[in-house]
Amino acid sequence: MTRDPARTARAAAILAGLGVAAWLVVLNFGALGAVAWRAEGLTALRGADWAAVRFTLVQALLSAALSVALAVPIARALARRRFIGRDALIMLMGAPFILPTLVAVLGLLAVFGRAGLVNQGLEGLGLARLNIFGLHGVVLAHVFYNLPLATRILLQGWAAIPAERFRLGATLGFGPRDNFRQLEWPMLRDLVPGAFLVIFLICLTSFSVALTMGGGPRATTVELAIYQAFRFDFDMGRAAMLALVQFGLCAGAGVLAWRMALPSGLGGGMDRPVQRFDTGTAGLRLWDGALIVGGALFLLVPLALVVMRGAPHVVGLPVEVWQAAGRSLVVALGATGVTLAMTLALAHAVLIAGDARGAVLEWLGLAALAASPLVIGTGLYLLIRPLANPRDFALVVTMLVNAGMALPFALRLILPGLREVVASQGRLADSLGLHGWARLRIVTLPRLRRPLGFAAGLTAALSMGDLGVIMLFAEREGATLPMQLYRLMTAYRLDDAAGAALVLLGASLALFWIFDKWGRGFAEA
């Protein structure tokens, strides 16, 4: 009996996709189930735990609201203006999103900390110093981290307004206020709620920022409370109950964010370059310039200070820092490989399975957006503990959790490109008898290099700077670079911390640049 190669390839793709889906179910829901199994009921939560829930919601609301409120005028100014270096500035302003959290914190401390530039200026003027620790410090760090994301989302919204609408507005004599009311407000009305909820969701799972900028029991997030219950109190039931609360908050925010994805209703255009006719007055130019310069200074000065303060101390770093950097590199590259393999397998299965079954597989791939890394880490710790010493699996678990957390972003980047490849090249490949590995190598991968490179760079950079699950599993001898940096900071070895932060910054940016360049370079060839 002769086997049909096309049917065999489809069956293999479905099986691979189902394997990935099963692993995601275990990772996201199995770990949660293990946590639920150890929960002791709602009465296990203390007053301090409910305070952590309230603080988590308040800081997430404030952080998301301020990030989006500041992003609207900055994105509008960038959308209205064309100047030399605009593209490079937009790219640099996006750097904080892939920046390791601890590096961002060190940069903010260099500007707003006790001995930072702002407090030195206040002291010079005879004014009282600012205290960056507490709610305002957490919110400031989250705004620094998420303002670039909100700005990029809204800039895409402005770019999506057809050029013909602005031209028609100029014909009708629209000024800046008319353009805002008739063209820009409908776009913002649709995009802002979604951007707000995405940032709110990110801030809900804040751990590193709260750990370093929280400033005590009054500024503790649920993630941090889980870590404290797990590592310091060893109260598994309380940690489990907090993990369930955290999952409920993230799932609720994730569902709201998904339902907020609405069309703008502006219609399509002819893809002409946008030309603005409402930029002429000197006052408006001055206002836009001030917004752009202010946003750039807020985002780039902390990064510049990290580089300036860390450079003299890189050469003299202790050997433990370089060993930790090697472990982080292994974890980042491993997480990147696992993420790409799982995403390709799941994306193929989504397209082959059809509408309803494909939608279920796609939902499973995106479910990690509502999951907390610490919740998953806690669940995996509970699952591994009866069988082996969880400390022995610290790096492997960290790599797998990082891969699972990056998969939703990679799926969002790769799935649309794969749909286009199937639509444009599928019939030709079928007629040539290309299936399985040969089709993947000759047809699919060359056309997916750009999203693959970007997804790989994003995964590697985020994994390189991750400080979360590793804090649950690792001991001193198994620390990654972010964990080693945190130890240096808490031991007040600030010179070594500055050097380690620069190494972490350079490694994260280099990984992102190498993978992204690989993808773009191939696509341009």
Side-chain angles (χ1 to χ4, degrees):
M1 182 177 178
T2 304
R3 292 184 177 180
D4 181 354
R7 181 174 296 180
T8 303
R10 283 196 295 271
I14 287 288
L15 281 176
L18 288 177
V20 173
W23 165 243
L24 292 175
V25 169
V26 171
L27 190 68
N28 294 320
F29 301 104
L32 180 65
V35 170
W37 173 63
R38 292 300 304 264
E40 297 175 353
L42 287 173
T43 53
L45 290 184
R46 308 168 183 170
D49 299 327
W50 289 114
V53 173
R54 286 193 296 273
F55 179 81
T56 300
L57 292 173
V58 168
Q59 62 85 16
L61 283 170
L62 289 174
S63 301
L66 284 173
S67 298
V68 174
L70 291 173
V72 170
I74 293 175
R76 193 181 187 216
L78 286 168
R80 275 198 298 224
R81 301 295 163 188
R82 296 291 182 272
F83 51 89
I84 298 173
R86 176 180 178 274
D87 291 343
L89 178 62
I90 291 173
M91 183 186 69
L92 285 173
M93 288 175 68
F97 188 63
I98 61 170
L99 197 66
T101 307
L102 288 185
V103 176
V105 168
L106 277 178
L108 289 173
L109 288 175
V111 178
F112 300 99
R114 184 171 299 174
L117 297 179
V118 172
N119 274 326
Q120 287 179 12
L122 290 174
E123 189 177 22
L125 295 172
L127 301 175
R129 292 188 174 192
L130 298 175
N131 180 14
I132 195 174
F133 297 101
L135 174 63
H136 45 287
V138 173
V139 172
L140 175 67
H142 282 158
V143 171
F144 175 78
Y145 220 65
N146 294 297
L147 177 59
L149 174 64
T151 303
R152 295 295 288 268
I153 291 174
L154 297 180
L155 261 179
Q156 290 181 7
W158 256 286
I161 299 176
E164 291 80 5
R165 302 294 190 274
F166 287 108
R167 186 174 295 276
L168 178 61
T171 305
L172 296 174
F174 281 8
R177 184 174 301 177
D178 302 311
N179 275 333
F180 181 80
R181 188 172 61 250
Q182 301 295 336
L183 301 176
E184 296 167 331
W185 171 245
M187 176 273 295
L188 290 173
R189 186 185 57 202
D190 294 333
L191 282 186
V192 163
F196 173 87
L197 283 168
V198 168
I199 296 172
F200 178 76
L201 186 58
I202 293 172
C203 296
L204 273 183
T205 58
S206 174
F207 172 70
S208 302
V209 169
L211 183 68
T212 51
M213 307 285 280
R218 292 185 178 180
T220 297
T221 61
V222 176
E223 289 275 292
L224 188 54
I226 294 171
Y227 171 70
Q228 291 168 344
F230 192 75
R231 286 302 296 262
F232 300 130
D233 302 334
F234 209 66
D235 187 343
M236 306 294 275
R238 180 167 156 253
M241 199 60 230
L242 285 166
L244 287 176
V245 171
Q246 175 75 334
F247 187 86
L249 292 175
C250 293
V255 169
L256 285 176
W258 176 69
R259 291 178 64 86
M260 283 293 178
L262 300 175
S264 67
L266 286 170
M270 300 179 70
D271 296 330
R272 294 192 177 102
V274 174
Q275 183 179 1
R276 299 295 296 261
F277 301 92
D278 57 346
T279 59
T281 65
L284 197 56
R285 284 198 296 271
L286 187 63
W287 172 247
D288 286 348
L291 286 170
I292 293 170
V293 171
L297 289 176
F298 175 66
L299 296 173
L300 299 181
V301 167
L303 298 184
L305 289 178
V306 168
V307 175
M308 291 170 59
R309 295 189 176 186
H313 306 290
V314 170
V315 176
L317 283 174
V319 68
E320 291 83 5
V321 172
W322 298 109
Q323 291 172 342
R327 293 187 201 99
S328 285
L329 196 59
V330 170
V331 169
L333 293 176
T336 303
V338 173
T339 299
L340 293 186
M342 290 199 306
T343 303
L344 281 172
L346 190 62
H348 275 94
V350 166
L351 297 185
I352 294 173
D355 292 340
R357 294 173 182 172
V360 172
L361 290 174
E362 186 175 355
W363 181 84
L364 285 174
L366 301 176
L369 286 174
S372 155
L374 274 189
V375 172
I376 294 174
T378 305
L380 292 178
Y381 190 97
L382 295 174
L383 289 172
I384 295 172
R385 192 182 177 203
L387 306 173
N389 184 358
R391 314 290 184 201
D392 297 338
F393 298 90
L395 295 184
V396 174
V397 169
T398 302
M399 181 189 72
L400 292 177
V401 172
N402 286 345
M405 302 309 295
L407 192 141
F409 299 102
L411 190 64
R412 279 294 190 193
L413 290 167
I414 292 172
L415 187 57
L418 186 60
R419 281 199 174 100
E420 186 177 340
V421 171
V422 171
S424 62
Q425 307 291 329
R427 290 186 177 179
L428 177 60
D430 288 340
S431 66
L432 295 174
L434 289 173
H435 304 289
W437 169 246
R439 182 166 175 160
L440 186 68
R441 181 173 56 84
I442 298 173
V443 179
T444 305
L445 289 183
R447 288 164 180 79
L448 286 181
R449 287 292 180 101
R450 186 184 289 272
L452 280 172
F454 186 75
L458 193 63
T459 303
L462 293 178
S463 182
M464 187 77 197
D466 177 67
L467 178 68
V469 177
I470 191 68
M471 295 286 282
L472 295 177
F473 281 78
E475 298 292 350
R476 177 175 296 275
E477 64 275 8
T480 58
L481 185 53
M483 189 173 176
Q484 188 67 30
L485 171 57
Y486 176 69
R487 286 175 175 167
L488 292 172
M489 290 171 63
T490 53
Y492 296 100
R493 294 169 59 183
L494 298 182
D495 289 344
D496 286 342
L502 183 56
V503 172
L504 183 56
L505 173 64
S508 299
L509 295 181
L511 284 172
F512 178 81
W513 182 84
I514 289 170
F515 282 116
D516 188 49
K517 178 69 176 175
W518 170 77
R520 287 186 291 112
F522 190 92
E524 290 164 2

